[in-house]
Amino acid sequence: MADPMGFKPETDIMRMLTEFRLPGMPDMEALAAAQRRNLEALSAANRVALEGAQAVARRHMEILQSAMSEMTEAVKAISSQESPQAKAARQTELLKSAYEKAVTNMREVADLIQKSNTEALALLNTRFTEAMDEVKTLVAKKG
């Protein structure tokens, strides 16, 4: 199907394809090995992240169980036959203690998350650096 100007797209495309030159192919075995190492590094980073998430979930459960136990004890303590002033003082102490534990627990969970993220990113950063060195080596072999 030609247009009135004589342009034949199928002919021009075929001419372009026949004139197209592929650059020299890199060492396919080295390329496959590099991709395998990339996948292994990604898998290891995912494993570290998953283990970190599991550790956080376990710690959250422990914190929740501990908080429920402490709350039960606090309710028992407050419901005793004390004067209103003694109850108020006990409630204040319980509230202060609960707040301090909550802050400590939040810090602990944040540290767990940060540690997990740091380990996973370190694996990926190491592999990225290795991959860039491999690319330099492949380019140097071609030159």
Side-chain angles (χ1 to χ4, degrees), residues 110-127:
D111 288 345
L112 283 172
I113 292 169
Q114 183 177 2
K115 180 182 177 219
S116 174
N117 289 343
T118 300
E119 289 175 18
L121 284 174
L123 288 169
L124 293 175
N125 285 334
T126 299
R127 178 60 202 137

Side-chain angles (χ1 to χ4, degrees), residues 8-9 16 27 31 35 37 74 85 97 105 110 122 129 138-139:
K8 297 179 183 174
M16 286 175 26
D27 180 359
L31 192 59
Q35 288 301 326
R37 287 188 295 276
Q85 293 84 4
S97 175
N105 289 337
T129 301
L138 285 173
V139 169

Side-chain angles (χ1 to χ4, degrees), residues 5 7 9 18 21-22 24 27 64-65 84 91 115 127-128:
M5 302 295 285
F7 177 72
T18 57
R21 302 280 185 253
L22 284 174
D27 180 359
L64 182 60
Q65 289 171 342
Q91 285 176 340
K115 180 182 177 219
R127 178 60 202 137
F128 180 78

Side-chain angles (χ1 to χ4, degrees), residues 5-67:
M5 302 295 285
F7 177 72
K8 297 179 183 174
E10 62 277 355
T11 305
D12 289 339
I13 291 173
M14 291 306 291
R15 184 173 48 94
M16 286 175 26
L17 288 175
T18 57
E19 294 174 358
F20 184 70
R21 302 280 185 253
L22 284 174
M25 293 301 289
D27 180 359
M28 294 307 285
E29 196 171 307
L31 192 59
Q35 288 301 326
R36 190 176 335 102
R37 287 188 295 276
N38 290 345
L39 290 174
E40 289 169 355
L42 187 58
S43 177
N46 283 335
R47 188 173 36 257
V48 167
L50 178 62
E51 289 169 359
Q54 289 172 337
V56 168
R58 275 192 304 273
R59 187 62 187 126
H60 269 293
M61 185 57 72
E62 291 167 359
I63 290 168
L64 182 60
Q65 289 171 342
S66 174

